């Protein structure tokens, strides 16, 4: 491919003389597509002596694998519980299964087909689970390994599965189908038995209608040889498995939803579609001996109570010392339409209705015994809701709920952004927990969480990890994520700094977001100094400090004007202006101008200098934890709303916060509470503007853009999406040939030194107020020529349209929105060059610098990198009074695509962290003057001799990564990461005491590059970006860890470290632990004699191939799974796999030996009894003759 010089192309098109700064600014590296780009290679500039940095990372250090999934299972459909192992399984609509035990035991597995899970059945205390899925397949999962695998699958071809039942301690699974037939599957071999209960044999011959699908199957608690079959139309058949005929049939005129047995096996209860419960006796099946509509109103004239909503499920559980429990979901009266979904508990004459926040998917009653023919003694109810999991304590009369130890409330408000910190200071977790524990809710059950199965230990990983999630309601949650667990530490509500918008207020609102105006867009946290900063969707930034003491204080706030002001507008030629018959009707808040150039708009309707939200002005009580120190809000400018923030950085040592959007950059001193800098992106360049923007006609401008910029970012990969963006943009502004692009064009002379004149004096009025001094008096008067339509608001709406359809809660440096903003900039040549990355560090600001100094690195959506020099007061005493000076250095570096991230390495290739202030409590009462003094940690040595003569600056954009040598600003290494896609996230992370660049690409690839040489170390096609949620929440952290939101309710963690993959088996919890099955109660001689009892051998004899024959091959297809020992061999390699296999084999051997011991002991006892009896007989008849017998 022919390479060309970017600057020459621009110079030729614009017919302007090249600026002298761009060549120096780019150093040894050229612009996009420049001659020095060597993919994966080096581009050392001549005459730059440098030592080769010893890199320790190789590709052997990297491997991708999922570690654990946290949160609530998304779109749940099924529920099962093992009463002996005490583990819970939840199936979902996406084919996932989550298995939960004691805190720390949390396993995720997925059906390959992705079909919804219809039903789950545990093989109680066997370490196995059967799942029935919507594609009419049955699967047997082996839970005796840490990552469950499928042992067998059985795919039904001609019938649809509707219900399954596996009796306790049986190896025969009953499967009901949509046609009304019942099939039987051997669990050990997963082969279909030839024994089938056909629907036409089950119902009476005189019945002409089909009974409908099988909705219930269960064997009688009294006799295992009898099977109860419930059909949808209200028919119940009691089938004798031995004689292959129906013992009795019961009919009801309402559809059946579920059936439940009394433990004695003489009665059963049905729930129906009219909200009724019917109780049947086997001795008189002609009609139910009791019918109730629990929530139906009793009619005055003695008629049947009115119908209610269907009772979807009922459970009938008996107690030895009290009345039985009848628990059901649904069944509420139709006239209470607004009532929430409810679970009703009937205990004796008491009826308790528990209202739920979400619809009920399923529920299970937890009982003391696994045997269906004993008193059940229920102690809890597990209720699976659409978005929650609740466990109700039945042992207390007020039915309190258990406090849930699982992190299933991640989605309490939708997650809008995430940050992940591994290996953070160890004191943070207990400190955050101590302030968070004070807000715990009361009123929970005082009993232990009943789902307590499995085993879990800490494993080898010991470093602390913290995950932070930002939410749509403005809340921020801090989670302890150490050792692949998740526990909430602390919740911060950022919306509390603002006044609530009262509903129905007549005043015009200044909000730019109607829904979720407090949504967290991005977060920045310094764990060492405990400074926390949040950027919200309504264009504000809040700086928080951490304190252990409660304080009552006013919240300081600043307002910043960050809008690109336009000067020297040239009125376009009349023939180019398209007709706008009724411009004012489209934009009611602005009026058309017709006359004097001094008229701008009607002052009564123009919003100007108004923030989107109102900060509380009264003193606010702030509890211990994070307390708001400063609120910075962008304001409306001349009727144009502030644009959302696209980048954010804070530095505690400098006391500065910087943020940018598609208009420009603002730098605020949060110690002195002053605005230091507020200027448009193009003004930051000054005379160094690489594009040499000059006045030109809009037609020429547009043609240039279309020919040479070609919709950056998204355009190359998603043309349809680009077309939609372009269309929505133009439909809002009629941009094609309108003067809007000219109005927003930067038209000042490229030689004027506007930037330096504006910015170097932070004490001047222009900087502190955020207005441009040079244009403050003229810009309003000269903004529009006579008769020009007022399109400023339309322009801002277009920008909103471009950033918002992706998501209103964009994450930090969201590549999708950056690509859009950059493509808009490039097409229409306006001022919308977004600030996409910011980084404070001790660096060389200029080529001739001999020592490092505080700097702010700024990256834009067009791949430009600017360095701002920060001049801080020399001593700590002067920091509160002397102004901080911010001055652009005039140097520009260039990359392809929007800039994503910065990092700095010292001359040895070690990551240099930005300086920070050691945390001290701002409201501590007993601190003396000595401890109040700021203590700064400067990672970089103060003199350049100590740190060598140079450092490396690592810059990564959405297309490529570059490493520059400072202070020479020579490009040492370039790596073109992707040509056909673009990066969504890039982070410089530490791994194995070394450092690398980790990247996540929109095409699903995860890549790592060595530093500083940018050698590719890993490139795995891991995850296609099917959802903006993944792009918005994906983040890397140290020690080879990463995470993203895999669904709206779940966080998926993964590792790209080979060492962690190797140790993962030790860190995961055990789902199966050897537990003895409780013994059945002694039923007594008479009950055993007359109660009837079908033994296991009966089933074998009935359903086995010898008696029942083989099932039709076309009915179901057996598919061997990858589970068992083979699955373990595949899942775990090396010594760990051998140990796992040995452990499973030992478990099985131990179990068999135990059974053998029992049999041997039984045989010995019977042999001794026989010997004794024989000896007695011998003694009795010893001396008798044969004729005496």
């Amino acid at each position: 491919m022919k390479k060309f010089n970017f600057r020459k192309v621009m110079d030729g098109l614009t017919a302007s003389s090249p600026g002298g700064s761009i060549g120096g600014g780019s150093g040894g590296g050229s612009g996009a597509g420049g001659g020095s780009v060597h993919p994966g290679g080096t581009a050392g500039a001549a005459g730059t002596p440098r030592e080769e940095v010893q890199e320790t990372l190789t590709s052997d250090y990297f491997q991708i694998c999922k570690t654990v999934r946290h949160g609530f299972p998304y779109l749940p459909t099924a529920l099962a519980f093992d009463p002996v192992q005490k583990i819970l399984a939840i199936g979902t609509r996406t084919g996932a299964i989550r298995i939960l035990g004691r805190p720390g035991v949390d396993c995720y597995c997925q059906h390959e087909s992705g079909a919804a899970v219809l039903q789950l059945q545990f093989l109680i205390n066997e370490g196995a689970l059967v799942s029935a899925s919507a594609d009419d397949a049955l699967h047997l999962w082996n839970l005796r390994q840490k990552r469950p695998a499928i042992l067998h699958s059985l795919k039904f071809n001609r019938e649809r599965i509707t219900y399954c039942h596996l009796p306790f301690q049986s190896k025969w699974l009953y499967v009901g189908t949509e046609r009304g037939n019942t099939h039987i599957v051997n669990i050990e071999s997963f082969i279909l038995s030839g024994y089938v209960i056909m629907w036409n044999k089950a119902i009476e011959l005189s019945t002409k209608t089909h009974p409908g699908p099988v909705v219930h199957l269960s064997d009688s608690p009294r006799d295992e040889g009898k099977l109860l079959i419930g059909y949808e139309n209200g028919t119940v058949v009691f089938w004798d498995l031995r004689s292959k005929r129906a013992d009795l049939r019961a009919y009801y005129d309402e559809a059946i939803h579920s059936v439940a047995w009394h433990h004695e096996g003489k009665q059963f209860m049905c729930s129906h579609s009219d909200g009724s419960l019917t109780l049947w006796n086997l001795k008189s099946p002609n009609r139910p001996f009791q019918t109730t509509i629990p929530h139906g109103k009793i009619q005055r004239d003695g008629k049947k109570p009115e119908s209610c909503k269907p009772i979807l499920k009922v459970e009938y559980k008996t107690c030895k010392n009290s009345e039985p429990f009848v628990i059901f979901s649904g069944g509420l009266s139709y006239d209470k339409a607004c009532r929430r979904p409810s679970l009703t508990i009937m205990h004796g004459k008491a009826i308790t209705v528990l209202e739920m926040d979400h619809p009920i998917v399923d529920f299970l009653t937890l009982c003391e015994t696994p045997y269906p023919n004993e008193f059940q003694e229920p102690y809890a109810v597990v209720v699976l809701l659409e978005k929650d999991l609740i466990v109700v304590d039945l042992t207390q009369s007020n039915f309190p709920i258990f406090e849930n130890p699982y992190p299933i409330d991640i989605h309490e408000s939708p997650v809008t952004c995430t940050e992940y910190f591994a290996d953070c200071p160890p004191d943070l977790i207990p400190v955050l927990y101590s302030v968070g524990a004070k807000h715990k809710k009361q009123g929970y059950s005082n009993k232990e969480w009943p789902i307590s199965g499995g085993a879990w230990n800490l494993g080898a990983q010991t470093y602390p990890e913290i995950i932070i999630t930002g939410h749509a309601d403005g809340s921020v949650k801090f989670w302890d994520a150490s050792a692949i667990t998740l526990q909430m530490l602390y919740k911060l509500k950022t919306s509390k700094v603002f006044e609530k918008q009262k509903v129905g207020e007549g005043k015009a609102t200044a909000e730019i977001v109607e829904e979720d105006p407090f949504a967290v867009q991005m977060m920045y946290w310094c764990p060492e100094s405990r400074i926390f900063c949040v950027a919200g969707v309504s264009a504000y930034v809040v700086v928080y400090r951490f304190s252990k003491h409660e304080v009552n204080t006013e919240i300081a706030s600043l307002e910043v004007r960050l809008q690109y002001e336009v000067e020297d507008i040239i009125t376009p030629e009349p023939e180019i202006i398209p007709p706008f018959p009724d411009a004012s009707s489209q934009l009611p808040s602005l009026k058309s101008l017709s006359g004097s150039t001094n008229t701008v708009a009607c002052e009564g309707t123009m919003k100007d200098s108004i923030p989107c939200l109102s900060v509380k002005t009264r003193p606010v009580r702030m509890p211990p934890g994070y307390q708001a120190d400063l609120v910075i809000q962008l304001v409306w400018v001349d009727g144009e709303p502030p644009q959302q923030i696209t980048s954010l950085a804070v530095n505690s040592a400098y006391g500065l916060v910087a943020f940018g959007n598609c208009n420009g950059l603002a730098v605020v001193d949060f110690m002195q509470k002053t605005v230091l800098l507020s200027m448009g992106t193009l003004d930051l360049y000054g005379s160094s503007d690489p594009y040499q923007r000059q006045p030109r006609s809009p037609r020429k401008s547009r043609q240039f853009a279309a020919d040479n910029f070609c919709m950056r970012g998204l355009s190359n990969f998603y043309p349809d999406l680009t077309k939609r963006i372009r269309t929505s943009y133009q439909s809002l502004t009629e941009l094609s040939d309108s003067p809007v692009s000219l109005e927003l064009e930067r038209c000042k002379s490229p030689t004027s030194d506007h930037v330096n004149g504006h910015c170097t004096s932070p004490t001047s009025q222009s900087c502190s107020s955020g207005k441009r001094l040079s244009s403050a008096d003229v810009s309003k008067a000269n903004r529009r020529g006579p008769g020009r339509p007022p399109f400023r608001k339309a322009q801002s709406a277009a920008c909103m349209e471009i950033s918002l359809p992706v998501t209103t809660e964009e994450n930090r440096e969201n590549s999708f929105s950056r690509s859009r903003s950059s493509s808009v900039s490039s097409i229409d040549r306006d001022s919308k060059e977004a600030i996409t990355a910011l980084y404070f560090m001790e660096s060389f600001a200029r080529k001739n610098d001999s020592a490092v100094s505080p700097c702010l690195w700024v990256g834009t959506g067009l791949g430009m990198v600017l360095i701002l020099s920060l001049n801080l007061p020399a001593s700590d005493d002067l920091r509160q009074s002397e102004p901080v000076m911010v001055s652009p250095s005039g140097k520009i570096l260039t990359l392809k695509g929007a800039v994503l991230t910065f990092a700095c390495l010292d001359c040895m290739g070690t990551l240099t962290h930005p300086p920070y202030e050691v945390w001290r409590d701002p409201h501590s009462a007993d601190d003396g003057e000595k401890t109040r003094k700021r203590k700064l940690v400067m990672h970089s040595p103060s003199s350049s001799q100590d740190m060598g003569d140079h450092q490396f600056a690592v810059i990564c954009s959405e297309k490529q990564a570059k490493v520059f040598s400072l202070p020479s600003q020579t490009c040492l290494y370039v790596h073109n990461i992707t040509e056909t896609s673009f990066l969504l996230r890039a982070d410089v992370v530490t791994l194995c005491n070394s450092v690398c660049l980790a990247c996540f690409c929109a095409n699903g690839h995860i890549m790592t590059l060595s530093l500083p040489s940018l050698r590719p170390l890993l490139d795995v096609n891991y995850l296609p970006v099917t959802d903006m949620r993944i792009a918005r929440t994906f983040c890397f952290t140290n020690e080879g860890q990463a995470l993203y939101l895999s669904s709206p309710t779940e966080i998926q963690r993964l590792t790209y470290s080979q060492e962690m993959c190797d140790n993962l088996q030790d860190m995961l919890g055990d789902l199966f632990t050897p537990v003895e099955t409780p013994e059945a109660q002694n039923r007594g001689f008479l009950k055993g004699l007359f109660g009837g009892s079908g033994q296991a051998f009966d089933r074998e004899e009935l359903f086995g191939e010898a008696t029942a024959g083989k099932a039709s091959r076309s009915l179901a297809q057996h598919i061997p799974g990858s589970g068992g020992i083979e699955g373990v061999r595949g899942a775990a390699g090396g010594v760990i796999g051998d140990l796992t296999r040995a452990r499973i084999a030992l478990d099985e051997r131990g179990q068999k030996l135990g059974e053998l011991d029992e049999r041997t002991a039984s045989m010995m006892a019977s042999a001794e009894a026989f010997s004794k009896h024989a000896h007695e007989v011998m003694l009795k008849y010893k001396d008798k003759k044969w004729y005496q017998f």
Side-chain angles (χ1 to χ4, degrees), residues 1000 1002-1005 1021-1027 1030:
F1000 177 54
N1003 61 15
H1005 283 249
N1021 188 359
Y1022 169 74
L1023 175 81
V1025 182
T1026 53
D1027 200 309
I1030 298 170

Side-chain angles (χ1 to χ4, degrees), residues 614-630:
S614 303
V615 179
K616 288 178 180 175
T617 52
R618 61 186 182 280
V620 178
R621 186 188 73 84
M622 298 183 191
Y626 274 104
Q627 299 167 349
D629 188 53
L630 177 65

Side-chain angles (χ1 to χ4, degrees), residues 558-626:
L558 283 174
E559 293 179 359
V560 177
R561 288 175 74 90
L562 192 57
Q563 207 77 8
Y564 182 68
E565 307 273 358
V566 186
E567 308 171 33
D568 307 328
I569 292 294
I570 299 174
T571 306
E573 298 151 23
E575 65 271 14
I576 301 174
I577 303 174
F580 288 93
D582 191 11
S584 59
S585 66
Q586 297 171 20
L587 303 161
S589 64
L590 298 176
K591 291 189 177 178
S592 220
L593 305 176
S594 56
S596 166
T597 55
N598 296 324
T599 313
V600 186
C602 172
E603 287 301 317
T605 56
M606 176 85 73
K607 290 175 185 168
D608 188 51
S609 301
I610 305 170
C612 301
L613 302 170
S614 303
V615 179
K616 288 178 180 175
T617 52
R618 61 186 182 280
V620 178
R621 186 188 73 84
M622 298 183 191
Y626 274 104

Side-chain angles (χ1 to χ4, degrees), residues 1135-1149:
V1135 180
I1136 294 165
D1138 293 336
L1139 285 171
T1140 309
R1141 288 192 288 276
R1143 185 174 174 182
I1144 288 174
L1146 278 171
D1147 281 347
E1148 290 173 354
R1149 185 168 177 266

Side-chain angles (χ1 to χ4, degrees), residues 533-556:
C533 200
V534 166
V537 76
S538 296
Y540 63 83
V541 171
V542 188
V543 181
Y544 288 90
R545 290 181 183 271
F546 188 85
S547 174
K548 294 180 181 178
H549 302 276
E550 184 177 309
V551 66
N552 207 332
T553 184
E554 288 189 9
I555 301 167

Side-chain angles (χ1 to χ4, degrees), residues 977-999:
I977 298 169
T978 175
E979 291 292 341
T980 57
S981 187
F982 55 97
L983 295 187
L984 295 167
R985 180 79 183 219
D987 289 294
V988 174
V989 293
T990 57
L991 177 69
C992 302
N993 297 317
S994 193
V995 64
C996 66
L997 175 65
C999 309

Side-chain angles (χ1 to χ4, degrees), residues 641-663:
Q643 299 301 311
Q644 293 177 0
I645 290 163
T646 54
S647 55
L648 176 69
V650 190
N651 189 280
S652 56
Y654 304 158
L656 302 180
V657 56
F659 56 93
N661 62 10
C662 64
N663 286 328

